[in-house]
PDB file of all heavy atoms in Angstrom:
ATOM      1  N   GLN A 186     111.751 104.546 102.120  1.00 98.00           N
ATOM      2  CA  GLN A 186     111.363 103.124 102.066  1.00 98.00           C
ATOM      3  C   GLN A 186     110.437 102.823 103.227  1.00 98.00           C
ATOM      4  O   GLN A 186     110.514 103.487 104.274  1.00 98.00           O
ATOM      5  CB  GLN A 186     112.636 102.268 102.166  1.00 98.00           C
ATOM      6  CG  GLN A 186     112.457 100.808 101.769  1.00 98.00           C
ATOM      7  CD  GLN A 186     113.775 100.056 101.902  1.00 98.00           C
ATOM      8  OE1 GLN A 186     114.867 100.599 101.637  1.00 98.00           O
ATOM      9  NE2 GLN A 186     113.701  98.821 102.330  1.00 98.00           N
ATOM     10  N   THR A 187     109.562 101.818 103.076  1.00 98.00           N
ATOM     11  CA  THR A 187     108.648 101.501 104.170  1.00 98.00           C
ATOM     12  C   THR A 187     109.347 100.733 105.281  1.00 98.00           C
ATOM     13  O   THR A 187     110.168  99.848 105.028  1.00 98.00           O
ATOM     14  CB  THR A 187     107.429 100.702 103.696  1.00 98.00           C
ATOM     15  OG1 THR A 187     106.563 100.502 104.842  1.00 98.00           O
ATOM     16  CG2 THR A 187     107.795  99.346 103.113  1.00 98.00           C
ATOM     17  N   GLY A 188     109.015 101.110 106.495  1.00 98.00           N
ATOM     18  CA  GLY A 188     109.453 100.378 107.682  1.00 98.00           C
ATOM     19  C   GLY A 188     108.248  99.761 108.363  1.00 98.00           C
ATOM     20  O   GLY A 188     108.305  99.292 109.491  1.00 98.00           O
ATOM     21  N   ASP A 189     107.090  99.814 107.652  1.00 98.00           N
ATOM     22  CA  ASP A 189     105.848  99.153 108.100  1.00 98.00           C
ATOM     23  C   ASP A 189     105.398  99.560 109.505  1.00 98.00           C
ATOM     24  O   ASP A 189     104.753  98.787 110.212  1.00 98.00           O
ATOM     25  CB  ASP A 189     106.026  97.619 108.033  1.00 98.00           C
ATOM     26  CG  ASP A 189     104.712  96.917 107.667  1.00 98.00           C
ATOM     27  OD1 ASP A 189     103.774  97.620 107.247  1.00 98.00           O
ATOM     28  OD2 ASP A 189     104.633  95.680 107.836  1.00 98.00           O
ATOM     29  N   PHE A 190     105.760 100.755 109.929  1.00 98.00           N
ATOM     30  CA  PHE A 190     105.364 101.318 111.231  1.00 98.00           C
ATOM     31  C   PHE A 190     105.967 100.553 112.427  1.00 98.00           C
ATOM     32  O   PHE A 190     105.500 100.730 113.559  1.00 98.00           O
ATOM     33  CB  PHE A 190     103.838 101.340 111.390  1.00 98.00           C
ATOM     34  CG  PHE A 190     103.149 102.448 110.630  1.00 98.00           C
ATOM     35  CD1 PHE A 190     102.082 102.177 109.777  1.00 98.00           C
ATOM     36  CD2 PHE A 190     103.553 103.773 110.783  1.00 98.00           C
ATOM     37  CE1 PHE A 190     101.432 103.196 109.076  1.00 98.00           C
ATOM     38  CE2 PHE A 190     102.910 104.798 110.084  1.00 98.00           C
ATOM     39  CZ  PHE A 190     101.854 104.503 109.241  1.00 98.00           C
ATOM     40  N   THR A 191     106.968  99.675 112.178  1.00 98.00           N
ATOM     41  CA  THR A 191     107.501  98.920 113.328  1.00 98.00           C
ATOM     42  C   THR A 191     108.939  99.330 113.652  1.00 98.00           C
ATOM     43  O   THR A 191     109.690  99.786 112.786  1.00 98.00           O
ATOM     44  CB  THR A 191     107.523  97.398 113.046  1.00 98.00           C
ATOM     45  OG1 THR A 191     108.529  97.124 112.067  1.00 98.00           O
ATOM     46  CG2 THR A 191     106.178  96.894 112.572  1.00 98.00           C
ATOM     47  N   ARG A 192     109.349  99.142 114.925  1.00 98.00           N
ATOM     48  CA  ARG A 192     110.709  99.466 115.373  1.00 98.00           C
ATOM     49  C   ARG A 192     111.730  98.590 114.635  1.00 98.00           C
ATOM     50  O   ARG A 192     112.753  99.073 114.157  1.00 98.00           O
ATOM     51  CB  ARG A 192     110.866  99.220 116.881  1.00 98.00           C
ATOM     52  CG  ARG A 192     110.054 100.169 117.709  1.00 98.00           C
ATOM     53  CD  ARG A 192     110.345 100.041 119.184  1.00 98.00           C
ATOM     54  NE  ARG A 192     109.451 100.941 119.910  1.00 98.00           N
ATOM     55  CZ  ARG A 192     109.683 101.369 121.140  1.00 98.00           C
ATOM     56  NH1 ARG A 192     110.767 100.954 121.783  1.00 98.00           N
ATOM     57  NH2 ARG A 192     108.834 102.183 121.739  1.00 98.00           N
ATOM     58  N   THR A 193     111.421  97.281 114.553  1.00 98.00           N
ATOM     59  CA  THR A 193     112.358  96.339 113.938  1.00 98.00           C
ATOM     60  C   THR A 193     112.674  96.725 112.501  1.00 98.00           C
ATOM     61  O   THR A 193     113.833  96.865 112.103  1.00 98.00           O
ATOM     62  CB  THR A 193     111.757  94.915 113.966  1.00 98.00           C
ATOM     63  OG1 THR A 193     111.300  94.654 115.284  1.00 98.00           O
ATOM     64  CG2 THR A 193     112.779  93.875 113.554  1.00 98.00           C
ATOM     65  N   LYS A 194     111.613  96.949 111.726  1.00 98.00           N
ATOM     66  CA  LYS A 194     111.828  97.287 110.313  1.00 98.00           C
ATOM     67  C   LYS A 194     112.452  98.680 110.195  1.00 98.00           C
ATOM     68  O   LYS A 194     113.292  98.918 109.330  1.00 98.00           O
ATOM     69  CB  LYS A 194     110.505  97.279 109.545  1.00 98.00           C
ATOM     70  CG  LYS A 194     109.968  95.934 109.131  1.00 98.00           C
ATOM     71  CD  LYS A 194     110.637  95.348 107.905  1.00 98.00           C
ATOM     72  CE  LYS A 194     110.124  96.017 106.632  1.00 98.00           C
ATOM     73  NZ  LYS A 194     110.836  95.673 105.420  1.00 98.00           N
ATOM     74  N   GLY A 195     112.052  99.578 111.094  1.00 98.00           N
ATOM     75  CA  GLY A 195     112.634 100.928 111.046  1.00 98.00           C
ATOM     76  C   GLY A 195     114.134 100.866 111.238  1.00 98.00           C
ATOM     77  O   GLY A 195     114.906 101.515 110.517  1.00 98.00           O
ATOM     78  N   LYS A 196     114.576  99.999 112.163  1.00 98.00           N
ATOM     79  CA  LYS A 196     116.025  99.851 112.419  1.00 98.00           C
ATOM     80  C   LYS A 196     116.725  99.247 111.200  1.00 98.00           C
ATOM     81  O   LYS A 196     117.764  99.752 110.747  1.00 98.00           O
ATOM     82  CB  LYS A 196     116.242  98.970 113.653  1.00 98.00           C
ATOM     83  CG  LYS A 196     117.700  98.847 114.034  1.00 98.00           C
ATOM     84  CD  LYS A 196     117.934  98.003 115.266  1.00 98.00           C
ATOM     85  CE  LYS A 196     119.432  97.992 115.591  1.00 98.00           C
ATOM     86  NZ  LYS A 196     119.859  96.750 116.268  1.00 98.00           N
ATOM     87  N   GLU A 197     116.113  98.170 110.662  1.00 98.00           N
ATOM     88  CA  GLU A 197     116.715  97.473 109.503  1.00 98.00           C
ATOM     89  C   GLU A 197     116.890  98.430 108.323  1.00 98.00           C
ATOM     90  O   GLU A 197     117.957  98.524 107.715  1.00 98.00           O
ATOM     91  CB  GLU A 197     115.790  96.344 109.030  1.00 98.00           C
ATOM     92  CG  GLU A 197     115.952  95.011 109.713  1.00 98.00           C
ATOM     93  CD  GLU A 197     114.777  94.079 109.354  1.00 98.00           C
ATOM     94  OE1 GLU A 197     114.213  94.217 108.235  1.00 98.00           O
ATOM     95  OE2 GLU A 197     114.409  93.263 110.201  1.00 98.00           O
ATOM     96  N   VAL A 198     115.821  99.181 108.028  1.00 98.00           N
ATOM     97  CA  VAL A 198     115.875 100.076 106.857  1.00 98.00           C
ATOM     98  C   VAL A 198     116.884 101.193 107.096  1.00 98.00           C
ATOM     99  O   VAL A 198     117.667 101.543 106.201  1.00 98.00           O
ATOM    100  CB  VAL A 198     114.475 100.636 106.541  1.00 98.00           C
ATOM    101  CG1 VAL A 198     114.538 101.685 105.433  1.00 98.00           C
ATOM    102  CG2 VAL A 198     113.529  99.501 106.124  1.00 98.00           C
ATOM    103  N   MET A 199     116.952 101.700 108.326  1.00 97.00           N
ATOM    104  CA  MET A 199     117.922 102.772 108.625  1.00 97.00           C
ATOM    105  C   MET A 199     119.345 102.248 108.465  1.00 97.00           C
ATOM    106  O   MET A 199     120.227 102.932 107.937  1.00 97.00           O
ATOM    107  CB  MET A 199     117.705 103.299 110.047  1.00 97.00           C
ATOM    108  CG  MET A 199     118.487 104.562 110.346  1.00 97.00           C
ATOM    109  SD  MET A 199     117.941 105.936 109.279  1.00 97.00           S
ATOM    110  CE  MET A 199     119.472 106.885 109.192  1.00 97.00           C
ATOM    111  N   GLU A 200     119.584 100.992 108.892  1.00 97.00           N
ATOM    112  CA  GLU A 200     120.926 100.387 108.709  1.00 97.00           C
ATOM    113  C   GLU A 200     121.284 100.380 107.225  1.00 97.00           C
ATOM    114  O   GLU A 200     122.398 100.739 106.833  1.00 97.00           O
ATOM    115  CB  GLU A 200     120.947  98.953 109.265  1.00 97.00           C
ATOM    116  CG  GLU A 200     121.022  98.895 110.793  1.00 97.00           C
ATOM    117  CD  GLU A 200     120.611  97.534 111.363  1.00 97.00           C
ATOM    118  OE1 GLU A 200     120.100  96.683 110.594  1.00 97.00           O
ATOM    119  OE2 GLU A 200     120.759  97.344 112.588  1.00 97.00           O
ATOM    120  N   SER A 201     120.305 100.048 106.389  1.00 96.00           N
ATOM    121  CA  SER A 201     120.600  99.988 104.941  1.00 96.00           C
ATOM    122  C   SER A 201     120.826 101.397 104.380  1.00 96.00           C
ATOM    123  O   SER A 201     121.682 101.603 103.517  1.00 96.00           O
ATOM    124  CB  SER A 201     119.445  99.309 104.189  1.00 96.00           C
ATOM    125  OG  SER A 201     118.303 100.150 104.174  1.00 96.00           O
ATOM    126  N   PHE A 202     120.094 102.377 104.904  1.00 96.00           N
ATOM    127  CA  PHE A 202     120.318 103.773 104.467  1.00 96.00           C
ATOM    128  C   PHE A 202     121.734 104.207 104.821  1.00 96.00           C
ATOM    129  O   PHE A 202     122.436 104.824 104.019  1.00 96.00           O
ATOM    130  CB  PHE A 202     119.323 104.706 105.146  1.00 96.00           C
ATOM    131  CG  PHE A 202     117.914 104.661 104.628  1.00 96.00           C
ATOM    132  CD1 PHE A 202     116.881 105.171 105.387  1.00 96.00           C
ATOM    133  CD2 PHE A 202     117.614 104.117 103.376  1.00 96.00           C
ATOM    134  CE1 PHE A 202     115.561 105.151 104.920  1.00 96.00           C
ATOM    135  CE2 PHE A 202     116.314 104.087 102.896  1.00 96.00           C
ATOM    136  CZ  PHE A 202     115.289 104.605 103.670  1.00 96.00           C
ATOM    137  N   ILE A 203     122.185 103.899 106.034  1.00 95.00           N
ATOM    138  CA  ILE A 203     123.520 104.342 106.478  1.00 95.00           C
ATOM    139  C   ILE A 203     124.594 103.687 105.613  1.00 95.00           C
ATOM    140  O   ILE A 203     125.537 104.332 105.155  1.00 95.00           O
ATOM    141  CB  ILE A 203     123.741 104.007 107.978  1.00 95.00           C
ATOM    142  CG1 ILE A 203     122.810 104.874 108.843  1.00 95.00           C
ATOM    143  CG2 ILE A 203     125.197 104.216 108.378  1.00 95.00           C
ATOM    144  CD1 ILE A 203     122.760 104.469 110.308  1.00 95.00           C
ATOM    145  N   LYS A 204     124.386 102.376 105.316  1.00 92.00           N
ATOM    146  CA  LYS A 204     125.359 101.658 104.470  1.00 92.00           C
ATOM    147  C   LYS A 204     125.420 102.322 103.082  1.00 92.00           C
ATOM    148  O   LYS A 204     126.490 102.566 102.528  1.00 92.00           O
ATOM    149  CB  LYS A 204     124.949 100.192 104.289  1.00 92.00           C
ATOM    150  CG  LYS A 204     125.384  99.295 105.454  1.00 92.00           C
ATOM    151  CD  LYS A 204     125.433  97.797 105.056  1.00 92.00           C
ATOM    152  CE  LYS A 204     125.592  96.949 106.304  1.00 92.00           C
ATOM    153  NZ  LYS A 204     124.259  96.810 107.004  1.00 92.00           N
ATOM    154  N   ALA A 205     124.233 102.689 102.584  1.00 88.00           N
ATOM    155  CA  ALA A 205     124.167 103.226 101.208  1.00 88.00           C
ATOM    156  C   ALA A 205     124.676 104.661 101.148  1.00 88.00           C
ATOM    157  O   ALA A 205     125.397 105.055 100.246  1.00 88.00           O
ATOM    158  CB  ALA A 205     122.719 103.162 100.731  1.00 88.00           C
TER     159      ALA A 205
END
Side-chain angles (χ1 to χ4, degrees):
Q186 195 180 324
T187 183
D189 214 12
F190 283 128
T191 70
R192 293 187 183 200
T193 311
K194 281 281 283 171
K196 184 179 182 209
E197 273 168 30
V198 174
M199 190 63 209
E200 284 162 351
S201 70
F202 285 162
I203 292 170
K204 277 201 191 79

